[in-house]
Amino acid sequence: MEEKTATFASLGIEEKIISRLKEKGITEPTNVQKQVITLVKDGKNVMFQSETGTGKTYAYLLPLIQKLEAEDNPKKEVKLLIASPTYELSSQIKAQVQAVSDLKCILCIGGAPLTRQIEMLKEKPVIVIGSTGRLLELIHLKKLKADAVETLVLDEADRLLSKELRKDTEALMERLPRKVQLIGNSATVSEYTRKSLEKVRDGLLKADDETTGDEKDNPILLVTLPPKDVLKFRITHWAIFAERRDKIDTLRSFIRAEKPEKMLVFTSHKDQIDNIVSKLRYKKIDCEGLSAATDKQKRKMAMDRFKSGKIKILVTTDLAARGLDIPDVSHVIQMDLPEEKDFFIHRAGRTARAGKKGINCVIGDEYEMRKYAVLEKQLGIKVFPKMLYEGKIVTPEMDEE
């Protein structure tokens, strides 16, 4: 007997939310949504991994929003906290909440005016989204009451549990009720990430004499979706050799030759963004730059212009590679190779979304080309060497042995 195809209705999602999804052109659940929605709906602690562009945000949002809409909350207390590592991802999550629900939802991000966020909290939001540091600060100031929080989501959990952000993430968890439901996700979640979160959670439970056996026996489930190998089959990987001093000129020539529909340019060095942008603009190539140091308003304007297609090129650090769903990115350029392969995966994954194809190109020196060759084997991808010749991108002739 043939297995029935899962639908949002068969996963327990109510018609009101399904109708709003249809308005956005979403009619069928993705594989990760089929796996995760029921677990979240049943109150399980879940850490899940799925490739970029597979619908991870709605996998947890849909059942949580449905639960919140059905709940009696006369005091209009905060019930759901969603932590994310960047302003852009937090804004995207908020937009996805608002697309399917009328629940009051606000952003609380570091670097933005604290007084404004305190005023917004007086409006009694049910969902608060933001950086772990700012959420923690508002709790310490007693402006964000966390006593009634039922669920904590760590969007891009591997980043939030990294060495740089782990301390704030742990401190935030310490301030929440011990019975809180924990949900984490990323394109690169590992068993290590799950165990790391479980270790923090178990440490907090042991420290609490009022913790019940049921809470201690609720493990964090790891759901790993088999890859569709987007990295292998829908993204074409190129390598263009350039000495460090020639990289920006090579980038400029690449843009002239390829005429990308929409292109993200990544650099690991935030102090290089202004340099790249100014040199491209000098050659009459319209682009914007984006880094963690950029003013929030300017960041929003740059991202909005890029998403809408008003500009075709956005130069950024890895902050934009984290979980963002930017439609129709045809090309990703990596001006260097990040130290961790997960960052390479997140960068490359900004293209070839929603079933489309894309190009990921590394412009690197001799050292970076050697690193790229190692990555090629580790990730099982095929890298094609390219060069610029007479205004075109061509395949170099390889010397026969």
Side-chain angles (χ1 to χ4, degrees):
M1 187 174 172
E2 198 172 303
E3 190 180 340
K4 280 184 73 176
T5 304
T7 63
F8 285 116
S10 70
L11 295 171
I13 300 301
E14 294 172 356
E15 184 56 39
K16 180 172 69 173
I17 293 176
I18 293 172
S19 295
R20 290 183 174 180
L21 288 171
K22 284 178 181 175
E23 289 171 10
K24 288 180 60 66
I26 301 170
T27 55
E28 294 180 5
T30 64
N31 286 338
V32 68
Q33 290 161 2
K34 291 173 189 174
Q35 295 285 328
V36 172
I37 283 175
T38 304
L39 294 173
V40 173
K41 191 168 173 284
D42 291 344
K44 304 293 186 186
N45 294 319
V46 186
M47 179 74 76
F48 63 98
Q49 172 185 326
S50 182
E51 290 178 305
T52 60
T54 52
K56 291 187 289 295
T57 307
Y58 274 143
Y60 67 77
L61 272 185
L62 298 182
L64 292 177
I65 284 171
Q66 180 166 293
K67 177 188 173 189
L68 292 174
E69 288 184 336
E71 263 183 5
D72 187 26
N73 185 10
K75 295 181 182 177
K76 295 185 178 178
E77 296 171 299
V78 176
K79 296 287 185 176
L80 170 60
L81 285 185
I82 303 175
S84 116
T86 70
Y87 166 79
E88 285 75 20
L89 179 55
S90 296
S91 298
Q92 180 178 291
I93 296 166
K94 183 187 176 190
Q96 289 178 281
V97 170
Q98 292 173 327
V100 295
S101 174
D102 295 323
L103 290 168
K104 183 68 179 175
C105 171
I106 67 166
L107 286 183
C108 292
I109 306 291
L114 183 64
T115 51
R116 171 68 184 134
Q117 292 172 6
I118 291 171
E119 287 302 310
M120 288 194 297
L121 285 166
K122 291 177 182 176
E123 297 171 14
K124 301 289 185 182
V126 178
I127 303 170
V128 178
I129 305 167
S131 55
T132 48
R134 179 50 61 90
L135 295 174
L136 192 58
E137 183 179 8
L138 288 163
I139 291 171
H140 283 156
L141 291 170
K142 303 189 186 308
K143 301 300 180 183
L144 171 57
K145 294 179 181 176
D147 299 345
V149 171
E150 297 171 342
T151 306
L152 171 66
V153 175
L154 302 180
D155 204 304
E156 298 297 326
D158 57 336
R159 181 75 185 121
L160 292 172
L161 290 166
S162 67
K163 184 171 61 176
E164 299 90 346
L165 300 177
R166 183 187 177 96
K167 188 176 177 182
D168 279 347
T169 302
E170 289 183 1
L172 178 62
M173 289 173 65
E174 283 179 13
R175 300 305 300 265
L176 301 181
R178 297 296 179 257
K179 63 183 180 180
V180 72
Q181 181 185 16
L182 290 173
I183 299 166
N185 77 78
S186 179
T188 50
V189 163
S190 63
E191 177 67 11
Y192 170 80
T193 311
R194 185 196 69 79
K195 286 182 176 178
S196 180
L197 182 60
E198 195 158 68
K199 185 177 178 182
V200 175
R201 195 277 308 256
D202 289 349
L204 297 176
L205 292 180
K206 286 174 186 173
D208 190 345
D209 294 335
E210 296 180 11
T211 302
T212 67
D214 288 344
E215 289 155 13
K216 289 181 179 177
D217 291 337
N218 189 1
I220 298 173
L221 305 174
L222 178 63
V223 177
T224 306
L225 273 288
K228 291 182 179 178
D229 284 332
V230 172
L231 211 63
K232 287 185 189 178
F233 302 124
R234 294 218 303 267
I235 300 176
T236 302
H237 300 275
W238 290 353
I240 296 180
F241 173 81
E243 296 290 357
R244 193 164 298 273
R245 65 181 177 273
D246 299 326
K247 283 189 176 188
I248 299 177
D249 284 338
T250 302
L251 172 63
R252 176 183 56 77
S253 298
F254 181 98
I255 294 166
R256 296 290 191 207
E258 192 69 2
K259 298 179 178 59
E261 185 63 32
K262 190 181 282 189
M263 185 169 83
L264 271 169
V265 179
F266 285 103
T267 174
S268 299
H269 310 286
K270 63 183 180 184
D271 57 350
Q272 273 296 301
I273 291 178
D274 288 344
N275 188 30
I276 295 170
V277 168
S278 63
K279 288 187 175 180
L280 290 181
R281 285 178 176 171
Y282 181 74
K283 294 294 184 178
K284 310 298 184 200
I285 296 173
D286 194 15
C287 61
E288 291 279 3
L290 191 71
S291 80
T294 309
D295 173 79
K296 291 290 186 295
Q297 194 62 31
K298 289 180 180 176
R299 276 168 68 166
K300 184 181 186 305
M301 286 174 62
M303 188 61 76
D304 287 348
R305 288 189 72 205
F306 184 61
K307 282 187 173 183
S308 68
K310 288 180 180 175
I311 56 161
K312 294 188 175 183
I313 300 163
L314 184 68
V315 185
T316 186
T317 56
D318 288 294
L319 70 91
R322 282 284 167 177
L324 281 187
D325 187 12
I326 303 168
D328 305 322
V329 173
S330 58
H331 294 71
V332 166
I333 300 292
Q334 305 198 35
M335 299 293 283
D336 49 47
L337 278 174
E339 289 301 315
E340 298 175 29
K341 70 177 180 183
D342 285 356
F343 280 82
F344 175 90
I345 294 169
H346 281 279
R347 286 177 173 188
R350 296 312 97 200
T351 189
R353 298 175 78 80
K356 296 186 177 181
K357 294 187 176 182
I359 291 170
N360 169 57
C361 179
V362 174
I363 298 176
D365 58 19
E366 187 178 343
Y367 170 70
E368 287 161 332
M369 289 296 113
R370 287 200 300 268
K371 280 179 69 176
Y372 202 6
V374 173
L375 264 181
E376 182 180 19
K377 290 179 181 176
Q378 287 179 339
L379 299 174
I381 60 177
K382 175 68 176 172
V383 175
F384 297 92
K386 296 289 178 181
M387 64 181 288
L388 288 148
Y389 179 72
E390 293 185 347
K392 294 181 180 178
I393 296 170
V394 299
T395 301
E397 292 182 10
M398 308 302 286
D399 293 333
E400 292 186 17
E401 299 203 8

